[in-house]
Amino acid sequence: MSSPSLSPRIQATAAPAIPTARAWAARYAGAAGPVIDLTQAVPGYPPHADLLAKLAEMAGSRAAAGYGPIDGDPALREALAADMAGFYGAPIGAGDIAITAGCNLAFAMTMAVLGGPVILPVPWYFNHRMALEMAGIPAIPLPCRAEDGFVPDPDRVAEALRAGGRVLVLVTPNNPTGAVYPAAVIERCAALCRQHGAWLVLDETYRDFLPAEASPPHGLFGDPSWREGLVHLYSFSKSYCVPGHRVGAIAGGPVFRTALLKALDTQQICPPRAAQAALAWAVPALAEWRAGNRAIMAERGAAFRAAATQLPGWRLDALGAYFAYLRVPEDGPDSMAAAEALAAERGLLGLPGPFFGPGQDRHLRLAFANVELAEIGAIPGRLVGGNDPLARA
């Protein structure tokens, strides 16, 4: 008797990256000190105390225990629309917004609506690639170069669109590299998509960690026709330190939203109610607190940049928002072997470049946002000090 089979698409999808890297650390004996986990992009500070109180209050309410609108509660949609309108300096309304059970689901549902082929810059966010694989949507890799700061080349975007791409995905500030795409690049890519009748999906999960002088980061929402070809993704997880509550958002025009309602109703029914109610209060009330968190992240980024100067042979190719993208020394092993050795022998956990697409076997992603300044200061000693694990990897 033969065993039942699994979905070929699931079987062809890569294993989750973060559990793989953390499994390497199970062999770590603690010789270098406590584990420094730089694998997952999580805020390295707690939620605001008043937000925690609101979450607790709403979690105990009868109203939050029932179903809500499939595209999110009006109060949060209105609050986010007002916040976006202020940030981008453009008219954005609650009718443009759908709230989702996290930004990963926002991406998966967006792709279900738009289809493909999807142009995905490399290095890519691994969950984006996994979502496309599971949905059977073809991806067109768009290589980005270290010498360009890992910013996509619009000329290469044009080539990929001519080759049949129907959707372009841009993530800025970028995961995994931290690269911040210049407004001119974003706007030219949007123009190319319009020219070729393609959709632009712009993921700005980390937009609240841009330097204040970088706001607004582009002028796309100032064009009244944006609703005809742009889909915008956002996450509350990083900005409000609530990743466990799974709340994200999609902004799009009426044609897209009409189709999106089918995915929303099928895949989420409604987003988490208690978190929506608490966040509807938090969006306007915690604006100054969010600005303070942006300053914390900028300080950690500066500390990591300073730490990188103590890494002979290593090269910091990009840094921004939550992430540093480091090139492994040329005389060392590839980044898969280096990452495993660093986790198992030094207790330093990062993600090797191959998790982020082809051609990345010389890079490591380190999410410095997870840790405080003292731990950032300890990173050089883990990477190059003492009995170097790279030599034996």
Side-chain angles (χ1 to χ4, degrees):
M1 180 181 297
S2 60
S3 300
S5 61
L6 300 173
S7 161
R9 290 178 183 170
I10 289 290
Q11 289 181 295
T13 300
I18 291 169
T20 298
R22 287 178 175 170
W24 297 331
R27 308 198 307 269
Y28 176 58
V35 167
I36 301 176
D37 188 346
L38 307 180
T39 56
Q40 192 166 28
V42 294
Y45 43 81
H48 193 283
D50 291 345
L51 177 55
L52 288 175
K54 288 281 185 183
L55 286 164
E57 175 188 350
M58 298 313 303
S61 72
R62 183 172 179 178
Y67 286 125
I70 63 175
D71 58 351
D73 290 349
L76 182 54
R77 291 171 59 204
E78 291 166 4
L80 179 60
D83 183 69
M84 290 179 66
F87 183 80
Y88 294 103
I92 300 170
D96 299 316
I97 305 295
I99 303 300
T100 64
C103 199
N104 268 14
L105 183 59
F107 179 84
M109 291 189 293
T110 295
M111 292 301 108
V113 172
L114 300 182
V118 175
I119 303 167
L120 209 57
V122 181
W124 53 47
Y125 173 41
F126 48 76
N127 281 151
H128 284 176
R129 183 67 183 102
M130 293 168 72
L132 295 177
E133 286 179 320
M134 286 188 279
I137 297 173
I140 301 174
L142 181 76
C144 298
R145 306 185 307 171
E147 52 264 44
D148 297 329
F150 291 104
V151 173
D153 181 344
D155 290 336
R156 291 190 174 190
V157 170
E159 292 173 6
L161 289 166
R162 288 193 293 268
R166 293 185 60 250
V167 179
L168 170 65
V169 174
L170 298 180
V171 182
T172 178
N174 186 256
N175 180 3
T177 66
V180 176
Y181 298 170
V185 170
I186 297 170
E187 290 163 10
R188 187 177 171 204
C189 287
L192 287 167
C193 287
R194 287 193 299 272
Q195 177 185 337
H196 290 272
W199 289 91
L200 172 60
V201 175
L202 183 60
D203 184 334
E204 292 190 286
T205 289
Y206 298 93
R207 56 102 161 161
D208 290 320
F209 302 98
L210 287 166
E213 60 271 19
S215 306
H218 55 79
L220 298 188
F221 289 113
D223 181 350
S225 68
W226 74 264
R227 295 172 179 85
E228 298 171 12
L230 171 65
V231 177
H232 183 271
L233 307 182
Y234 178 72
S235 172
F236 295 88
S237 295
K238 319 302 181 186
S239 301
Y240 298 89
C241 305
V242 289
H245 286 281
R246 310 308 306 138
V247 187
I250 305 174
V255 172
F256 169 79
R257 277 180 49 80
T258 297
L260 176 67
L261 290 174
K262 301 176 185 179
L264 293 170
D265 189 49
T266 302
Q267 297 188 37
Q268 73 173 20
I269 300 181
C270 69
R273 302 293 310 288
Q276 287 187 84
L279 287 165
W281 166 84
V283 171
L286 298 183
E288 290 187 13
W289 178 76
R290 286 159 59 201
N293 293 339
R294 181 177 67 227
I296 290 172
M297 287 301 99
E299 183 181 34
R300 292 182 185 183
F304 192 97
R305 190 177 294 279
T309 64
Q310 305 171 42
L311 300 174
W314 295 75
R315 190 175 77 205
L316 181 61
D317 278 341
L319 181 146
Y322 271 39
F323 307 111
Y325 209 55
L326 276 176
R327 185 171 179 86
V328 176
E330 294 301 325
D331 58 354
D334 64 32
S335 59
M336 285 292 289
E340 182 174 0
L342 286 166
E345 301 185 32
R346 292 282 178 85
L348 179 67
L349 281 65
L351 294 182
F355 289 164
F356 302 101
Q360 304 303 304
D361 60 352
R362 301 306 306 172
H363 283 90
L364 289 175
R365 188 198 81 173
L366 301 179
F368 59 77
N370 302 6
V371 295
E372 297 187 0
L373 297 179
E375 290 172 289
I376 292 174
I379 290 171
R382 301 285 181 107
L383 285 171
V384 300
N387 189 13
D388 195 348
L390 296 179
R392 301 195 308 277

